[in-house]
Amino acid sequence: METADRRTTAVQAALAARLGAEITGLRRLSGGASRETWSFEAGGRALILRRDPPGSPDPAAMAREAALLASAAEAGVPVPALAGHGGDLAGAPYLIMERLPGETIPRRLLRDERFAAVRPRLARDLGAILARLHTMAPVPDLPDADPLDALAGHYANFEPRPAVELALRWLKDNRPPASGRKAVVHGDFRNGNLMIDETGVRGVLDWELTHLGDPAEDLGWLCTKAWRFNSPHPVGGFGSREDLLEGYASAGGAPPTLEELHWWEVYGTLRWTILCRHQAERYLNGSDPSIEYAVLGRKVCEQEHDLLLVLGLTEPTTVQDPLATAQPTATPPHDRPGAQALIDAVGAFLLQADQPDDRLRFHARVAAAALAIARRELLLGEAHKAAHEKRLRNLDCGSDEDLARAIREGSLDTRMDEVTEAVRASIIDKLTVANPRHLSLPGA
């Protein structure tokens, strides 16, 4: 198995050969769920390498992303300049681009004082950028599927989930009439994929999910709660939907109505729910042992809660974190400290240890979160299991799969208040274990 040090050495040698320059400062960045992202300098230039992970090459997709960067620049969208791309750099397709100044980490963009002056105008600016983006010339082989059909097809690969079935029913029943608009859709235009400095937006990043579709999809995705990062402001945590739509119109776009935007916001929330489940599958099927993908499986319930919020089926609530009041229990004949105290000790070590780079610091935080989830499950798991079995029995269902099927088929439509309450209670239990703080976040 390739070690991290060997991979770094191989990437550095390949870059030096490809660019004909000494490579310095090479380090892998913590972002990028599907591709590796590296920062480095070559010949006095600050550059970024995007590279497929070994074992999962997709040269056509990488070439398509390079073509999209060129098309975006032509349309006046701020993007990094392309410095090279190809099908093989240390065994994987790659793309090299300039490293833009600024910040992508949402918690810094939404909280640091140095961005305070630019934050109030970002929602409007992002609307204007999207209007220009939606004038881009298409590149060959962009996907062009019905978004709801594609999402339902993707969901069919996983276990049925009652909250997802409620959202799919609503989306099908409330779909706006076809607008007839078809444009290049970025597909992942949101806080975290935008390079921003004190002057404004410097670059739109990560074009790997770009496709053809209704331009309102990008606007709704930007408003999805997951990209607010605890901020009450709906547009990426920066501002209002009205500012977003005004900015879109000011740059020549035809903005959707607020009702159409809401439909796409529900769609985006459901899409992120299913994408989280998809990413967790990489750990569950053994293809990637990363702690990041393991914990993503326990974030699915966060998105299910957000689905109920955006559908108006629940409200923010406050739940006491069981770890705050948990008492150690004796476990004879074993010595002290017990298992729960050992979990706490390891979690504290992970958060306090001096990690040598950003990626290890990120994974240490994720690992500490995983331990806290395990600790809460040990405390509450049996009680939650009994309560959920009772809820299902009351609805004449033997499992979540039975309840999901009943929602899909409409056999419990006369009892939808009871169904909604059962789904809501189940999600509250799951979130009390996975991340109690998420329950109190506003839905805007």
Side-chain angles (χ1 to χ4, degrees):
M1 182 176 179
E2 184 184 36
T3 65
D5 286 344
R6 285 183 178 177
R7 183 176 299 183
T8 301
T9 300
V11 168
Q12 183 159 352
L15 283 170
R18 183 72 58 189
L19 298 175
E22 180 184 2
I23 305 301
T24 59
L26 179 66
R27 61 189 180 94
R28 188 172 172 190
L29 304 179
S30 60
S34 57
R35 286 181 178 162
E36 297 176 2
T37 304
W38 302 72
S39 173
F40 67 99
E41 290 80 39
R45 301 177 69 190
L47 298 170
I48 291 289
L49 167 69
R50 297 261 289 160
R51 180 175 176 265
D52 282 339
S56 302
D58 192 345
M62 194 68 79
R64 186 164 57 245
E65 186 167 348
L68 285 165
L69 285 174
S71 179
E74 185 70 21
V77 179
V79 289
L82 191 63
H85 67 95
D88 184 8
L89 189 136
Y94 71 96
L95 184 153
I96 301 171
M97 54 191 173
E98 70 169 325
R99 189 169 75 225
L100 296 171
E103 181 61 75
T104 62
I105 297 176
R107 68 176 181 275
R108 295 177 184 168
L109 292 170
L110 295 172
R111 293 166 179 75
D112 285 6
E113 181 61 29
R114 66 189 178 108
F115 300 111
V118 75
R119 274 195 294 266
R121 63 178 174 83
L122 282 175
R124 186 179 178 88
D125 289 352
L126 292 170
I129 289 170
L130 277 174
R132 293 194 293 274
L133 190 154
H134 294 150
T135 68
M136 283 173 54
V139 303
D141 301 322
L142 284 178
D144 184 13
D146 179 85
L148 194 53
D149 288 348
L151 196 58
H154 195 180
Y155 161 62
N157 294 316
F158 308 116
E159 69 283 348
R161 306 181 76 94
V164 170
E165 297 294 342
L166 287 173
L168 280 171
R169 282 275 300 270
W170 187 92
L171 287 166
K172 291 173 182 175
D173 292 345
N174 294 276
R175 190 167 189 174
S179 67
R181 294 173 292 176
K182 183 81 73 165
V184 173
V185 173
H186 181 276
D188 205 10
F189 189 96
R190 43 91 173 180
N191 196 354
N193 283 341
L194 303 165
M195 184 65 73
I196 297 170
D197 68 8
E198 296 85 343
T199 68
V201 181
R202 300 299 301 266
V204 179
L205 311 176
D206 291 1
W207 293 75
E208 57 197 280
L209 297 179
T210 301
H211 55 277
L212 296 175
D214 189 324
E217 180 182 341
D218 274 336
L219 295 158
W221 184 245
L222 181 58
C223 295
T224 299
K225 182 172 175 282
W227 316 129
R228 301 172 197 166
F229 297 92
N230 303 350
S231 166
H233 302 296
V235 180
F238 299 122
S240 70
R241 297 178 183 89
E242 290 77 9
D243 279 351
L244 174 71
L245 297 180
E246 287 174 7
Y248 193 74
S250 73
T257 65
L258 286 173
E259 291 76 17
E260 290 170 330
L261 185 65
H262 177 69
W263 191 92
W264 284 106
E265 194 173 320
V266 175
Y267 170 86
T269 308
L270 177 59
R271 179 184 173 215
W272 184 233
T273 305
I274 295 169
L275 285 175
C276 283
R277 180 60 185 84
H278 167 81
Q279 291 180 336
E281 188 64 21
R282 295 168 66 168
Y283 177 85
L284 293 170
N285 67 20
S287 64
D288 193 320
S290 169
I291 185 69
E292 183 178 1
Y293 296 124
V295 172
L296 271 168
R298 303 303 289 264
K299 290 183 73 68
V300 177
C301 60
E302 294 182 10
Q303 309 317 313
E304 290 180 315
H305 173 72
D306 291 352
L307 275 175
L308 298 190
L309 278 176
V310 76
L311 289 170
L313 299 177
T314 195
E315 294 180 354
T317 186
T318 299
V319 172
Q320 176 72 44
D321 187 339
L323 298 185
T325 56
Q327 298 296 318
T329 55
T331 54
H334 301 289
D335 294 324
R336 295 183 299 166
Q340 295 181 8
L342 288 173
I343 290 173
D344 291 344
V346 175
F349 165 76
L350 288 167
L351 293 176
Q352 295 166 9
D354 185 18
Q355 303 293 351
D357 60 50
D358 289 344
R359 186 167 182 79
L360 282 175
R361 278 191 289 275
F362 169 70
H363 281 151
R365 291 196 301 271
V366 173
L371 287 172
I373 292 169
R375 175 95 149 83
R376 295 187 196 101
E377 188 169 310
L378 288 172
L379 291 168
L380 301 175
E382 288 302 317
H384 285 173
K385 178 183 177 183
H388 190 52
E389 288 175 345
K390 181 179 179 180
R391 288 190 289 266
L392 290 171
R393 283 196 304 271
N394 288 342
L395 291 168
D396 302 316
C397 293
S399 64
D400 274 351
E401 183 174 354
D402 291 341
L403 179 54
R405 186 182 304 110
I407 294 170
R408 186 185 313 158
E409 296 173 352
S411 60
L412 286 172
D413 280 5
T414 59
R415 303 175 66 187
M416 282 306 292
D417 286 347
E418 295 175 73
V419 169
T420 301
E421 179 53 37
V423 175
R424 180 166 51 236
S426 171
I427 291 170
I428 288 174
D429 282 354
K430 289 194 286 185
L431 266 175
T432 302
V433 168
N435 183 5
R437 289 181 298 176
H438 194 84
L439 284 163
S440 63
L441 299 178

